[in-house]
Structure formats: C-alpha cells, structure tokens
Amino acid sequence: MADILLYRPHFVAFIILFLLGIYIMVVCLNLVKKLIGMYIMQTSIMLFFITLAVKEDSTIPIILPSVTALAPEAYANPLPHVLMLTAIVVGVSTLGVSLAMVIALYREYNTLEEDQILEKMK
Amino acid sequence: MTSSLPGFLFAIPFFAAIVIPVVGFTNQKLCRPIALGALVFLSIVSVIGLSEAISHGPLSHEFGGWAPPIGIEWVIDGLSGLLMVAISVVSLIALVHAGPLVEKELSGRVIPFYSLSLLLIAALGGMVLAGDLFNLFVFLEIGSLASYVLVGVAGGRSLLSAYRYLILGTIGASLYLLGVGYFYAETGTLNMADMALRLPDVLDSRAVLTGLIFIVLGLSIKMGLFPLHGWLPDAYTYAPDSCTPLLASVVTKVPLYAFVRIAFWVFGMATVTTQIPILVVLGWVGAVAAIVGAYRAIWQENFKRMLAYSSVSSMGLIMLGFSLGTETGFAGGLFYLLADTLMKAALFGVAGAASYQYGASTVTDLARLRRNMPWVLAALVISALSMVGIPPTAGFFGKWHLVVGALEAEKYFAVVAILVTSMLTALYFFRMFQRVWAEESLPLVEPHVLETPFPIKMSLGVLTFWIIALGLGSDLVMGLIFESVIPKGF
Amino acid sequence: MEFVYIFIPLLPLLAFVVLALGGSRFPSDSHKIGIPAIAGSFILSILAFVQVLKNGPIDVPLYTLLESGNLTIDLGLHIDQLTVLLLLLVTGVSGVVHLYSSRYMIDDPKYNRFFAVIALFTFSMLMVVMSRNLLMLYFFWEVMGLCSYLLISHAADRKSAGQAATKAFLVNAVADLGFGLGVILAFRTFGTLDIPQILELAPAMANDTVNVLAWMGLDLHIRSVTLISLLLFTGVMGKSAQIPFHVWLPFAMEAPTPVSALIHAATMVNAGPFLLVRLSPLIILSPFAMTVIFIIGATTAVFAGLVSLTQSDIKKILAYSTMSQIGFMVMACGLGAFAVAIFHLLAHGCYKAFFFLSTGNALRSVEQGLGHGDHEHPVSDDMGILYGGALLLALLPPLVLFSGSYEYLWGVTGFISATIGFKVIGLITVFVTSQYLFKGVTSLFVHGPKTYWPASGQHSLETQSVRPQLLNGSILTGLFLATVFVGGLLTLFWSWFADFLAPALTFPGVTLGEGAVEHGFPFWLVVSLGVAIAGWVYAYSTQVRSQHQVSRASRISNRWYVLFWNKFYVDEIYDTYIVNPIIRLAQRFSRSAETREMRQSMWKFSLQTMPLSDMLVFAKPRLIGHNILFLIFGFVFIMSLLYILS
Amino acid sequence: MLSNHLLSWLLVLPSLGIGALCCIRDREMVNRVALASTLLTFGLSVIIWMQFDFAKADMQFVERFELMPTLKVQYALGIDGISLIMVVLTALLTPIAVLCSWNTIKTNLHVFMVLILLLETATLGVFLSLNLVFFYIFWELTMVCAYFLMVVWGGPGRSSAGLKFVLYSFGGGLLLLLAILGLYVQGGQTFDLVTLSDYAFSTSTQYWLFLAFFLAFAIKVPMIPFHAWLPGAYAESPTAGSVILAGALSKMGAYGLLRVCLPLFPEASIYFAPFILWLSIAAIIYGGLMALAQTDLKKLVAYSSVSHMGFVTLGIFVFNSQGIQGAVLQMFNHGIITAALFIAVGQLYDRTHSRAISDYGGLHKPMPRFVALFFLFSVAAFGLPGTSNFIGEFLVLVGTSYVSFAMVIISMGGIVLAAAYMLWMLQRVVLGEPSTEAAKVLPDLAIRELATLIPLAILVLCIGLYPGPLMEMMDASVTHLIHQTTGLQVDEISQLPLRP
C-alpha cells in the first residue's frame, strides 16, 4: 500500500475525490449539496486526466516560432488538457442546467430538502 | 459532397436548433415549420448517407484538416447510417405528433421545446457519427442536457424527475469519461479505428478491463439498463406528453449504440466474449432486466409508467440479443432496437393523444379511447400487439431473430428469458386491453370532445404503418444488416 | 326383384320424412300418410314371407357405409325365416296401432309429430330385424331408443314425462355401452361385422380367448365368444328391461297408450330376445353365457311378476307383466329353446298389443269422470274383453312353454339340473301372472287409474262423443280373434313352426331331431294350466273378500308387501349409489374449478397495484436509490484498486 | 390465373371482403358484403374439393415462391386430404357465423365483420401453410382476432375470460415459436414441412421438440390440464366467435398434431402416446362430468367440447387407420355440432338474454322448429347413431381397441355421460312447463336463423348416414401419415391383425 501512496499519489487522490463526490450525492438530502458532490466527482475525473499528461522534466506543449522545437518526449501530452477543457465546459453547463432546475424546484416546493419535497409531492 | 455527409447530418438539426430561437423571437409560429423542415431534410440526407455507406463502404469526414487518428473523424457506415435513419425519421414523426400537444401543455415554451428537441437530435446524430470516444462523450452530454431540460420543461412534478435524471445521468457520463481515460492511458489514442488496432497488444492490462467496466456502467445508466434504470420510470412518466415519444424512442437507444460500437468494433467480438467476457455478464443482466422490467410493468397503473418499465424490459432484450455472440443474435438485437424505437414512439404517442383529449393517464382511463378515437385505438392495438410479439408486426420478427440467435448460440437461459418476457409483456398489454374493453360502462365523457387533431392521427398512422412494414420487410432489413452492418469476428 | 323388399322399411321412413318436414301443413290428416305406408309394408312382408317360405333367405345389399383400413361396413338386408316372422309381427302390430291411434289421438295437439315418430320407430324396428350387419343393428337399436324417448316425452308438459324419457334413454345408454363394446370386440375377433359371416366363423373361434385383465398386468383369459355374448346380452338387458336394467320400463308408461302397446310391449322390448335368437349359433357356444342369460331371465320373470302383484296402476301392472313375459323368453333363450322364445315373442306381441289397446279404451272411458264406482254402464263391455285378455295372457306361458318340443329344445344345452328350477320358476310365474293380471284389471276400476292423461281441458265430453267406439271395438275384437286363431294354430302346428324356423337357427353340430312333437301335451302342460287357473281363482277370491289386502295381511307378509310395492327399492338403490354420486362428483369438480377461478383473482386484476411491487428494493421512494450508488461505489473502489495494483 | 392459384385465392377472397368492408358503413351492406365474400370462399373450397385427387397422398395444388430468402421463408401452400376437410369446415362455418351475427351485433358491425373475415383468412392459412413460419403467423393471428371478438363484443364475463384465453393461447404460441425455431436450428435450416418430414432427428431432439409442439397444440385443442381457458372463452364470446372458436380454431391444435407432431417426430409420438391417450381419456370423462354440473348453457356446451376433443386426440395417438380417420371425422363433426349448439344457445340468448338453464323450460310449445333442431344437435353431440358423431366415435373406439380395451370402456363411459348431460339439459330446457309467462310467447326461429342451422343439420345427418365421401377424401393421406409415423407399409396398414 505504501508503494502506491508513494509512486502513484495522484491516483489515490482521484479515487478519494471521486468516492467523496458520490458519497455526498448519496448521503446529503439537500439538492444543492448533491450538486456539489456531483461537481467534485466530475472534477476528480479531470484530475485523473490531467495527471495522465504529466511527464517528468517536460515542458508545456507550445511551440513558439522563436524557440527551436524539442524532441516530442520533452513536451507534456497536450491532448488530455484539451479534452478536459471541453469536459469543463460540459460540466459547467451541466451544473448550470441543474442549478436552474434547483431554482425551479425551490419555487415549486419552497424547500431544497429531498425529504420535504417528497413529502409534499404525496 | 458525399465525404461531408456526416457533417451535414449533424449540422442540419444543429443550425435549426440555433435558428429557431432567433426566428421564433419574432414569430413563434415559424418554429414548427423550421423544425419539421430541418428534420425532413435530415431524413432525406440520412437515407442518402445510408445508401452511400452501403454501396460504397463507410464514409468518413475529417474535421479541420487533421487526418485521423489525431484529427476528429466522423464516420458513417452501415450501423450508424441505419441508426441515423431511424433517429431522423422517428424524431420527425415524433415532432409532427408533438405539434398540437405542445400548443396545449407547453404553450409558453414552444421555442425552447423545438430548439431543444433539435439540439437533442443533433447530439444523438453526433454520437452516432462520432469516430472517437471523447467526441462521443461530448455529444452524449449535450444530448443528455437537452433531454434533462425536455423532461423538466413542464415544471411541477417533472422537475424532480428531471433532477434525478440529471444526477444519475451525470454519474453515468462521468463513469464513461473515466473509462475513456483508462483506455487513453493504455493506448494513447481516442480514435476508435486506431484504438481497435492498438488494443490487442494491451488486452492483458487490467486498466483496459477497468476502463471497459466503467464505460459499460456509465452507458448502462444512460440507456436505463436494469438495475441502473432508476431515473427512467419517473422521467418518462412525468415528462410532458409532447416530449415522451421522442425521449422514449431514441434517447436510450443511442447510448446502447455507443456500447455496441465499443464492444464490437473497438474491442471486437472475440475479445468481449473470451478474453474479457463482458458479454456473458451482460447477457445475464439483459435477461434479468427483460424479465424484471416486464414484471414491474404489470403492476403499473399509470400508462406511461407501464410503458417506461416496458422500455426497461426492451432494453434488456436488446442487450440480450447483442450479447448472444452470434450473427443472428446481433442482427436480432439491432432489429429489435429499430422495432422498439418505432413501437415506443407509437405507444407514447397514443399516451399523449389520450391525455390530450381526455386527460387520460391511467390504464383504466384508456377505455375512453373507445369513444370517438378509433384511429388512436387502432394504433394502440397494433403497436401493443407488436410489443407482445404478434406476427406479422416488427416486434414479432425482433423476438424471432432473438430466439433464433439464442438457439444458435445454445444459450438456453436466453431463450427462456425471451419467452418469459414475452409472456409477461402479453400479460400487461392484454391486461390493458381488458381494461379498455371492460364491462363497466364508460365514464361520463366531457361534454365537448375534440376530434383527434390530424397531426396526431397522421403520425400514429405512419408509425403503425412502419411497425407493420418493418415486420413484413424484416427480410430486407435483416439482409441489409447481415450484409453491411455485422462487424467482423463472428 | 329382391330390391322391392327395401320398401318394407323404406315406406315407413318416407312416411316419417314427409310427416316430419311437412306434417304441420296437414295436422289432422297425418294418419292418412302413416297408415298406407305401414299397410304397404305389411303387404310386402307377406310377400316376403311367401318368398322365404318358397326359396329360403333373401339378401338385399344396400351400400357401403364406410371403409377404413381393414374395417368395412356393408349395409344390407337379410331376410330369413326369423326375420320374416318378426316383419309380420312388427308391420301388423304397427298397422293396428296406427289405425287405433288415428282415432285415439285425434285431439292431440302433436298429432302429426306422433305419427311421424311411430313411423320412424317402425322403420328402425324393421331395420333391426332385417339388418345383416352388427353395426347396422346397433345403429337402429339406438334409433329405436330415440323414438322411445320421443314418445315417452310426448306429453312434454308433464315434468314426469320428461324425467321418464330421460331415464329410459340413459338406462338404455348404459346397457348399450355393453352392446357397443360387444360390437367392437366382435370385429376385433372375427374381423367382420357381417352377421352371417360371424355366425359362420364362430365355431372356429370357439376356443379363442381374451385376457380381460391385461391392462392390470394380470392374467384372466375368457373365451371371446363368452365375452361377446355377454356384452351383447347387456344391450339386450337394457332394451328388453331385464334386471338390473329394468327400471325404465314402468316409467315409460308415461307414453300414450298406443305407444305402450307398440313399443313397450309388442315390438321394441322384443328386440332383445330377437337378438339372442339371431345370434343363437354364437351364444350356444358358451354355456357360461347361456347360464347367465337363463338366470337373468328367470330372475326378471319372477321378480317382475311379484312386483306387479302390488301395483295399483294398470299400466304399471302391464309394464311389469311385459318384463316378466320377456324374462320368460330370455330364460327360454338361455336354455337353448330359441324357437320357443320366438313363438312366445310373437304370441306375446299380439296379445300385449291387444291388451294395451283395450286398456287404453277402458282408461278413456274411466277417465272421463266415469270411474270410481260409476262404471256400470260404459265399462262393462270393456271389462269383459279385459278379463278375457287377462286370462289368455296368463295362460300363454304354459301354453307355449309346456307344449310342443320344449323339453327337447332346452335339453339341447344339456344341463339337467336346471330342469327342476325351470319348472318351478315357470309354475311360480304362471301362478303370479294370472293373479296379477286379474288384480290389475279389477284395480283399474276399484282404485282408478293413477296416471295417464292429466285432468286438463283437452279431452272434453264433446270430443269424447265424437269418437266412434265401435271401430276400436271391432279392431280389438278382430285382433283378439286373430291372435287366438294364430296362437291356437301355432300351438297345434308347433312342429311346423319349429321346422320353419329351424334354418335360421341351425348351427353346425346340432340338428333338430324328429320326434319332438311326440313329447307334446305332457303332464306339465296340464299342471301349469291348473296352476294358472288356480291363480286366477285365488285372485278372484281375495278380490271379492277384500279390496285392501294390506290391512289384512300379517306383519311378515306386510313387510314383504311393502318390499314388492317398492319394487325391491331398485330405483332408490340406483339413485343413491350410482346417479347421485356421479352428480355429486360432477358438482364437486365444478365447484373446485370455480373456487380455483376465484382464487386466481389475478385474472381479474383488481385496480390496486400489488403491494409487493413497493417492497421491491429498486423502488425506494428516494431520489437516488442508495443501492445503486453503493453498487457503483463498490465497483469503482475495487476497480481502482485493481488498476493501482497492476 | 385463377386455376393455378386456387389456394391463394382462398386466402385472397376474404381479404377482398375486408378491403370492401373498410369502405362501407351501412349495416345492411356490411352484412351482405361479408356474407357474399364468405360464401364465395366456401364456393371456392367446394371447387377445390371437386378438383382434388383423392387417390394421391401427397400435397396438391402446391404453390411456392421465395418470400423472405434471408429468413428462408417461402410462401408455400398445399393441401392434402386432411387439410381439405378442415378447409371446407372453416369455409362452411364462417358464412354461418356471419349469418348468426346479422342483427345481434349492435356496435361497430363493420369492424366485427372485418375481424370475422380476418379470422377466416388466418384459419384457412393455418390449414393451408406448408411453411412453418406461415403456419405460425396465421396461428397467432387467429388468436388475436378471436381475442378481440371476445373482448369487444363478448358477454358479461369477457374481461377475465379473454385474458385467460389470450394468455394461454399466447403461451402456447410462444412454445410453438420456440419449437419451430428449434426445428429450424436443428433440422437443416428450413421451415418447409415437406422437407422436414423426411429429416431424421435424433431421438432426444425429437423428444424435446415433440414436447414443445405438443404442449402448444394441446393448449389449443385443449387437452386436459390446459383447458382452463376454454369454458370462459367459449361462453363469453359472441355467438359468431364461439362458433368459429369451437368450430374451427380448436381443430388447429389437432391438425397441428397430425401435420407436425406425427410425421416429424415418429419416435417421440410413439414414446409419449400412452401418456397422451390417458390424458385424452381423462378429458373425455372430466369434460363430461363438468358438463353435467353446469348451470350455464354455453358452459355446458363448452365442457362437452372438452370431452369431444378428447376423442379426437385419443384417435390420433392410436396410429391406425380407424383411429386417425375417426379423429379427423370427429374434428369435422365436432366443428359442425358444437357450432350448431352454440348458435342455438345464442338464438335463445337473443330472445331472453339469459344463459342459465334454470331460466328456461317448456320451449317445445312456443318454439317447435327450434326445439326440433336443438334436439337433433343435442343427440348428435352424444353420438346417437344416424348422426355424424356416431361414425366418428365408433371409428375412434375401434382404433383404440387395438391399444387397450380398458380405454375403450372408459371412453364409452364418457359417451354415456354425454348422453346424460345432454338429455338432462334437454329435459330442463325443452320439456316441461315454461318457467315464465314471457317464455310462453317466445317467437320461433325466423328464416335467417333457420338458414344458419338447417345446413348444419343436413350435414350431420348426411355424414351420419353416408360418411363414405369424407372417408375417401382422407384415406390416402391418413395412410401416408401412418406410414410416416409407424413405418408400416401401406398394405400392412390396411390389414392390421385381429388382435394386438
């Protein structure tokens, strides 16, 4: 176990964040808190992707005309970053939609607690 | 021209979705013609795309001048062409049907309805066409966002189910993305065709296994595969009647398509049956899903909820078909997918019509269809019979191919599951008929009952026609599937 | 030329068809179709008689009913000496009954139906006696039963008529089960159902056996001739009202009196002895079957006689008397005295018809408010005829049985020990017969008729006055004289009769010897005549002394009397141990099916959803089911670990 | 054109009627068009009968063309002696069914007639198909049509009865589908019955496939443990529905046994025969007892039908000429007689709106014509000689005697029971005094009502007196069938030994 913590600390962090997000979504009854959990979960995945791109002693993958190009190994992998940029957009729009929904729910039921909403729906 | 076809397929509904709010701002009445026009166009183009793909092999379109595997690639081959045709045609019919309903129940939200529907269709098209895994994710999320909103657009009770759908859908999408990350970590590519070449070398890695499991889990949530179907019944039940035909018919089918694409094209048949025997597991899951979904449907009083559980059951059957591991099974699954798309659109359309005219939402209320709505009733009868699997409808041939596939694969549990499901399906649909023609005299009808609006009648008629036509043309469709859809490796 | 004899049965059939289809157009003229048809048949029968007398048996092939594998049924008429006698009897009696009924039934609302059915009956009875094929015989045997049913239920308004009809048919159906089985077994044994062929093959198959317990895995071999004889005899027991299938006949007296005369006394019930005689070459091969037949016949003869002693309804008395007489014929058959049985049959047919018809007359006059002590004037004529007829009937058995060649004939079977039993039973029967007939006739006018026409307004005095009594009287007298004449003639020319019949009865190995006549008029004939007269006198004396025997009887005889009066409780036993259990079983089945249906309320699908569905784990009323998420939770955890460890 | 595709025309004629009915709303016209199209179909079936060559054992008028090459589905129609009888029966009963619903159907008459015609097409299709897929398609179609006839126009208990009927039938249909597909997978990838009957299956395959087919057919017949749907379905259907359901549809089960089970799975048939024979006998007795206890006229007829179909299955599984010919004859007879009884009960129901036996009595006075016909059919139902049932039952019993005399005795007990319940019913319904004042003035049958019953009555008597033509019609086919099942040669079949 110690090895893992030592050599792959980023994976451990990702797992912890992921599980934490899910835990919040399950356990918290407040609708906004659930969204927080959801966002934590999404973020953990971004973290995972970004860590995939990391190389030791590498630089950012930008080739300026003024700088001579290095060997490909010297750059960090740019693709995950690009992907995560998109994923962030997606996540943000999801969050936006969900918050709008929560607002509508609040207008409808005057509460954000799951129990109470379910109670009122009966 | 032809090489940019995939682009067109996405662009048509997408631009329509953008144009609608702009135009609708000035004249709300234009939304509908624009949307329908775009979809007619889309249908025509997708049919052309399918025929091109069949006659000349897959068409691919690269974006931004980058060649795959680095660039983004959109592909239209037999499978995606078929799906594309199904999506465009069924959504056209669904939107035709939605016309009167939208005006009645979403009178203030006509613009968002059409705009979002088209966005949803565009996203679904994108998923079908996408040639790489991450693109698929993006369209998955766009489509999901649109459908979350469509579910909740009427407000009230539907909001909560939309919220639930959203939470669970996001978890699914995240899991999918995670799985894609694992694949990427192992193979260093996201393009499906490229990945298919690289995967065999790294199949021993547990990362691939883990990634596959995540992807399957994520897509299972999206497609409402039992036991991860939790969002589905509520969402279908409370979503506005104008949206359900569209949602129920295609939204869950496309994630399933994604799964099929990954399992059979990226991994290949041999891998998913032997090295990573995920199909065996999914076969059992599909069997249980089919039975449990049908069983739960029996006890539903709300008609749309019954249909929702019926969707769960169908999804199980389709999954069962794909997981049989034989050509016939695969083709049967695909055929049943197409059939179910039509049948669910028709059934939810009937539900919409019933609620439009009589406010009928329960199975018992359907008895009112007996008065004054013979055509809707006929559509209900035929599509229900197709669900049950009475020849010569599409549903029958779907089950037919599934059973043949299961027998050829010598998977007898699958045979039993299909038969039990059929029996349970018969139970709840015939129970429905029993209520429709119950001995009790009809409840007093509201004094002024409208004539069923023509768009509803027409769209139901067209769907019913297609249900029968697909059944009778089963041979052609199956021939097409065998010829140009079945992946290698069987 | 032969085919002309087809018209013997065909004429009544045509009459039936015409009456059934168009009878309602000429409701009161139906007899004008029936009577000529029967008359034609009678004339043809006489022709046939002459023909047979001259040239021997006639065969008229009809058509092939069916062919299936090795089973071929060729229908055909077989007219031999036996048949021809019965043809005369049937057409004769039927003709007389037709004539009689044309007056008797004149104000009946179903006049044409009545004539249609008796025409059909005549047809089927003729077919029974003429049929050459066992299946064909069975066929018309059943059709006769149907006619009987239709005629018993003629007065359908009465509940009892319907019940009696159903009972008659069902008892016969049970008995015919044996008949049908016998037919099938005969086919399986001989490979054919052609009667002459069967009779030819029978001796060769005499030692053939059937293992009747094969289905239980046991071994019980019975000779097939025995089995076939017994099975066919079961049918005979039904049709001829032998114990234990006799219960229907008394109830059948619900039918109009001419019907009783025609069917339940003179013809249909005679089909049983006829069949036994027809198959005599087969039956004689099995001594066991012969013994059974003898025992059944004898028991019936005595039993029916005893019961009839106690009955107070004249038609029931006659019914039991018929049973008793036929029991006698069956007994004779069981002894091998087939010619005697036929002789008895013919004579009894004529007498009984006469007797019933005169009873009908008497009943008519009594019933019109003239009975019960007011019977001096109109009854007296008929009384004489009745008494005369009763005496004649009583003397008939001894005349027949104890004259002629009986000793020789029944000696054929060779069991001497039965001789004494036969004689004792015979004498008892003779005694009883003469007694009950006398009592029957008197009781009619003492106690009054118990059944027959209901006191409805149909038979008003007007219609009564229209009816010409004279014609009926003359017919009866003619019939009476004819029977006396024929009976006397036949008795005197017994040997001629036996010789005439012999070819129909011949079977290999047994021939009628000469000298049978020499045994005629022995000691026993005198004894039996004495006994008959003694019975007559005894009955007369008791009748004169008291009209109510019950009150005078001692306690023991009282108990016997009650037993006889209740017909040995046979009906009650059947009801309790056979009919009711079957109905109860059926109802239990039906009830259990119904309760099963109730229990399966699933079929009805009450409108509430099933509570169980809410108990299913996947339907927790939470937004996000814990189960699902923990499932994912676990998966993620395990998979991540997997990856990390790799 | 017409002469080459006679069998197709048989299917097309009712369909033409359907097309015409879709455009007509006028009641009188609807009736006439339906009647005309069914009568034409009947006429065509008679023409086919005329042109049929009785001497040949194999399929005649065969039509084939590839319909679905990928699925190996051929459009294949053909007819032999056995199916010809069934076709004629179906074509005969449908016009009668149309006639007897002339005035009695109050709502949506044109839909009703469309369903009747569709039912006829489907039933004919079942009897004509040489391809198992077609067989199955038509098979399921009959169920659906009968179901909707029942559930829309049926009696007071139609809901639960309909559900029960359709679930049993559908369950049977699923088994049939499974069996057909199993046959396809196991038997060389073909659905063609003629090809398949030459295919030798291994013994264990035969057992399984036989059982699946047998169960499917047994539910349709219905045989004893699967009969629970029957009383409700027969009793609650409208008269026309009962007529076709009992008259033609129940024959499909027995026909399936003859057409599929026996020739394709001879070993299995012989292996399971004793079991099936005892089931049949149980059906004969049980049906009789149940009928005895019924208080509802239609249910009584329904249960009597269980008993009669017991004779049919009994005859089929003795594998000899008499048995099978008797069984086929019984199928025809049962079709006619049960249909006639249902029509008669329906005519009573139209007058009084009651099916309870206790509500009737003394019908002989007000309705003599009805009573005469009703009586004829009732006695025919228990096989009185002179009626067609007698010949059929006798042949079946002779056939059974080759197997066991015990069975013969017990099934004859069933005949006695049949006599008992029929006569008891007659006694309560027809004889006696009318139960109510209204019952005294019931109108007798009108011409149209007579027209439904009299043809059947004539047939019953004609076959009873001269079954020769029918026997000849099926003789060669039955012999061929026995040859396929038992392997005996033709001369051996016609000359069975005297004793087993």
Side-chain angles (χ1 to χ4, degrees), chain B residues 1 31 50 79 81 134 146 166 189 204 232 318 355 394 485-486:
Chain B
M1 168 66 198
C31 297
L50 176 64
L79 180 62
F134 188 77
L166 185 143
T189 181
D204 304 336
L232 193 147
I318 299 169
S355 122
V485 176
I486 301 269

Side-chain angles (χ1 to χ4, degrees), chain A residues 43-63:
Chain A
T43 316
S44 76
I45 294 168
M46 292 165 199
L47 176 67
F48 167 71
F49 264 84
I50 299 299
T51 54
L52 288 179
V54 173
K55 289 181 193 165
E56 277 180 33
D57 306 326
S58 60
T59 178
I60 51 169
I62 298 173
I63 305 171

Side-chain angles (χ1 to χ4, degrees), chain C residues 91-122:
Chain C
T91 47
V93 172
S94 174
V96 170
V97 167
H98 267 79
L99 269 178
Y100 179 87
S101 307
S102 65
R103 299 293 177 188
Y104 187 86
M105 304 291 291
I106 193 124
D107 43 5
D108 192 281
K110 296 174 178 170
Y111 191 69
N112 62 316
R113 177 184 183 272
F114 177 83
F115 275 96
V117 178
I118 55 173
L120 177 65
F121 167 77
T122 311

Side-chain angles (χ1 to χ4, degrees), chain D residues 281-348:
Chain D
I281 285 172
I284 293 171
I285 297 296
Y286 178 83
L289 281 176
M290 286 299 280
L292 197 57
Q294 293 308 311
T295 54
D296 179 322
L297 274 173
K298 265 189 132 175
K299 284 207 168 157
L300 186 141
V301 181
Y303 274 112
S304 79
S305 180
V306 174
S307 183
H308 290 152
M309 289 313 280
F311 275 101
V312 172
T313 44
L314 186 69
I316 291 174
F317 281 90
V318 296
F319 312 121
N320 52 46
S321 305
Q322 286 99 1
I324 294 184
Q325 287 194 333
V328 177
L329 199 60
Q330 268 307 83
M331 281 156 75
F332 191 80
N333 298 336
H334 172 255
I336 289 173
I337 290 167
T338 311
L341 284 173
F342 274 127
I343 293 172
V345 174
Q347 285 164 345
L348 281 185

